[in-house]
Amino acid sequence: MNLFTAIEQRRAVKHYQANEKMSAADFNTLMESVLLSPTSYNIQHWRFVRVTDVEQREKLKSAAWGQAQVTDAAELFVVCADVNAWNDRPERYVANSPQETQDMLLPMMHGFYNQKEQIQRDEAMRSCGIAAQTMMLAAKGLGYDSCPMVGFDREQVAELICLPDGYVIAMMIAIGRAEKAAYPRGGQLPLAEVMVENRF
Ligand SMILES: Cc1cc2nc3c(=O)[nH]c(=O)nc-3n(C[C@H](O)[C@H](O)[C@H](O)COP(=O)(O)O)c2cc1C
């Protein structure tokens, strides 16, 4: 599928064909695409919980106030982030770079995030947001629909997935074959309202 067609046709779909699964080949293509998403300093904060267990899906659905896509979609991910990833063996993020680049980037990364908790968390969430969009567009390209979700009780979901200390939940993403089309678009703000030139 053409990239712009995928962008235009990606919609938040809430009703899925409950018996449709994603093939292993499609799953691999999807995740290989997601892992190519950009992150600041290549930190790759994202940690994905792929929920395959039917009972776990039911519990998550209860925590998501009964949203049907949590159980019915072929795939369900809880997209999480390791907020401390910036400080966890950061040499991994530059492993293929020339030595002088590593020597420059590693202290720079440390200075950028050290003792700046708000920025660490912002960065983790940014990484997840970009990965989420890659995931939804790649899913569309493979012929699936998707739904990003924050409509759930964060504490309950954290407990269900045994969220480690220092991790945050960015969102859930359901992916599957649509049973019903998305509702008409809610109403896009005009470009003139959301873009300024040079400064606010
Ligand atoms: C971070 C995020 C959280 C969302 N949470 C939910 C949700 O819990 N349930 C739901 O049905 N839709 C959810 N949505 C879907 C939005 O309502 C939808 O993306 C928006 O209305 C625009 O519609 P479109 O994605 O079809 O273009 C969420 C979207 C985003 C980006």
Side-chain angles (χ1 to χ4, degrees):
M1 182 184 282
N2 171 282
L3 175 63
F4 292 96
T5 308
I7 292 170
E8 199 190 325
Q9 292 189 359
R10 183 222 52 82
R11 299 293 319 284
V13 165
K14 319 203 182 212
H15 301 283
Y16 291 89
Q17 300 171 29
N19 298 321
E20 281 287 330
K21 299 290 169 224
M22 185 182 284
S23 69
D26 283 352
F27 183 82
N28 289 338
T29 304
L30 179 77
M31 293 315 295
E32 279 168 13
S33 305
V34 169
L35 296 187
L36 295 179
S37 304
T39 51
S40 177
Y41 289 100
N42 199 32
I43 294 172
Q44 304 159 74
H45 305 79
W46 44 65
R47 304 291 181 263
F48 303 96
V49 180
R50 181 190 188 188
V51 187
T52 54
D53 181 65
V54 174
E55 268 182 45
Q56 179 76 320
R57 290 270 202 119
E58 286 292 344
K59 289 177 189 162
L60 288 168
K61 183 181 175 176
S62 297
W65 306 307
Q67 296 195 69
Q69 62 268 37
V70 175
T71 48
D72 294 353
E75 294 288 340
L76 181 79
F77 299 92
V78 187
V79 182
C80 306
D82 177 359
V83 175
N84 301 313
W86 65 276
N87 202 24
D88 179 12
R89 292 162 289 152
E91 61 282 359
R92 294 177 294 160
Y93 315 139
V94 289
N96 299 333
S97 304
Q99 190 61 48
E100 66 260 32
T101 309
Q102 299 190 22
D103 293 346
M104 180 193 65
L105 281 180
L106 289 171
M108 200 189 275
M109 187 190 322
H110 193 269
F112 200 85
Y113 295 109
N114 191 35
Q115 296 185 327
K116 294 172 188 143
E117 287 179 12
Q118 167 94 45
I119 293 172
Q120 293 167 17
R121 189 188 157 98
D122 287 351
E123 204 64 80
M125 288 296 191
R126 243 191 302 274
S127 297
C128 287
I130 293 172
Q133 182 71 341
T134 304
M135 181 180 273
M136 293 186 285
L137 290 180
K140 191 77 232 184
L142 289 165
Y144 298 88
D145 281 291
S146 62
C147 188
M149 280 176 280
V150 288
F152 53 82
D153 182 303
R154 275 186 310 256
E155 276 78 36
Q156 275 184 42
V157 171
E159 200 177 320
L160 285 167
I161 64 170
C162 304
L163 188 74
D165 280 347
Y167 281 42
V168 290
I169 299 174
M171 70 186 87
M172 289 188 198
I173 300 182
I175 299 179
R177 304 275 186 202
E179 171 82 22
K180 275 198 230 164
Y183 302 122
R185 285 190 193 278
Q188 305 314 114
L189 297 178
L191 180 61
E193 202 175 321
V194 297
M195 189 178 81
V196 296
E197 200 161 335
N198 299 320
R199 58 191 65 81
F200 281 99

